[in-house]
Amino acid sequence: GQQLNQSPQSMFIQEGEDVSMNCTSSSIFNTWLWYKQDPGEGPVLLIALYKAGELTSNGRLTAQFGITRKDSFLNISASIPSDVGIYFCAGQLGNQFYFGTGTSLTVIP
Amino acid sequence: GAVVSQHPSRVICKSGTSVKIECRSLDFQATTMFWYRQFPKQSLMLMATSNEGSKATYEQGVEKDKFLINHASLTLSTLTVTSAHPEDSSFYICSASGGLYGYTFGSGTRLTVV
């Protein structure tokens, strides 16, 4: 199936730094979602975006649905050790989900 | 919130045997369930989409005779890996459509075929 381009592939940051990752696609989506996956677990939804241009926050996380509907970004402010994990974007079109390639985040205390 | 229960969380089986993985929506009815496969440090790859009471729709390259999917009720879908081989070892995750949060993922099943 289709996969979305997600970057960066991995990040190593110091605790307290801000993080930014993005996702792009050649297709237009109706919904963009961001998930976090801990090792050995299923993905957990962080933020859902339903409208082009929408900017939504969830605590230290902020995500935006790109105007073109072909991209989205996720920012994490003031990172903490428990932010460690793999972050996936997902675009939804109809009843289908397409996942990004993932961003592995390591936070160094 | 919506909860999807996936069992077992880990399974080790001998080559040639079959393994069944269950995915249950605990507090909502899931008309559609999805099965994904994930290799280490990689993203989720959709294997198939199952709708309650009908045959599953498989993604290109996924063998329907090897990965049998049954969605007999609005709260249960099963994935059976038949005649498993070491190359089938992977992390399998289900998700269910429904509830308040759209799509909810199970906690995954780590399959190891020896």
Side-chain angles (χ1 to χ4, degrees):
Chain A
Q2 178 180 167
Q3 274 205 321
L4 309 180
N5 298 314
Q6 187 173 343
S7 65
Q9 185 176 4
S10 62
M11 301 181 75
F12 293 81
I13 61 167
Q14 293 283 359
E15 182 177 358
E17 289 184 357
D18 297 341
V19 172
S20 185
M21 59 191 79
N22 67 78
C23 217
T24 60
S25 168
S26 57
S27 302
I28 290 174
F29 291 108
N30 296 328
T31 303
W32 280 94
L33 306 109
W34 285 92
Y35 291 87
K36 182 189 178 197
Q37 185 179 26
D38 291 325
E41 299 288 333
V44 174
L45 181 66
L46 298 174
I47 291 180
L49 303 157
Y50 301 104
K51 199 163 56 173
E54 180 181 349
L55 183 70
T56 297
S57 293
N58 178 8
R60 293 179 296 107
L61 278 61
T62 302
Q64 184 160 30
F65 192 143
I67 292 290
T68 65
R69 294 168 62 193
K70 294 183 178 181
D71 63 329
S72 178
F73 72 75
L74 174 71
N75 287 342
I76 305 173
S77 63
S79 59
I80 59 178
S82 62
D83 290 334
V84 164
I86 301 179
Y87 292 79
F88 291 102
C89 63
Q92 181 185 353
L93 190 62
N95 204 28
Q96 293 296 326
F97 265 100
Y98 300 95
F99 280 89
T101 46
T103 296
S104 173
L105 178 63
T106 301
V107 180
I108 303 166
Chain B
V3 177
V4 173
S5 175
Q6 187 173 341
H7 290 282
S9 58
R10 293 174 186 272
V11 58
I12 300 173
C13 70
K14 289 186 177 179
S15 187
T17 62
S18 294
V19 173
K20 181 185 282 189
I21 303 170
E22 290 190 350
C23 184
R24 292 181 186 271
S25 56
L26 297 186
D27 48 4
F28 66 99
Q29 292 185 330
T31 53
T32 305
M33 286 188 173
F34 304 87
W35 287 95
Y36 297 86
R37 183 173 180 175
Q38 186 179 31
F39 291 103
K41 298 185 188 286
Q42 294 190 23
S43 188
L44 288 78
M45 297 299 296
L46 179 65
M47 299 174 65
T49 302
S50 74
N51 294 293
E52 184 264 337
S54 62
K55 288 185 179 180
T57 302
Y58 289 82
E59 294 296 301
Q60 193 172 6
V62 178
E63 300 175 60
K64 62 177 70 174
D65 293 332
K66 180 159 191 67
F67 299 100
L68 300 179
I69 291 172
N70 185 284
H71 192 163
S73 77
L74 285 171
T75 59
L76 174 65
S77 177
T78 61
L79 167 67
T80 302
V81 182
T82 62
S83 186
H85 291 284
E87 59 265 28
D88 298 324
S89 299
S90 192
F91 193 56
Y92 293 89
I93 307 174
C94 68
S95 74
S97 160
L100 296 175
Y101 302 100
Y103 294 81
T104 304
F105 284 87
S107 54
T109 298
R110 171 76 58 197
L111 170 64
T112 303
V113 184
V114 297

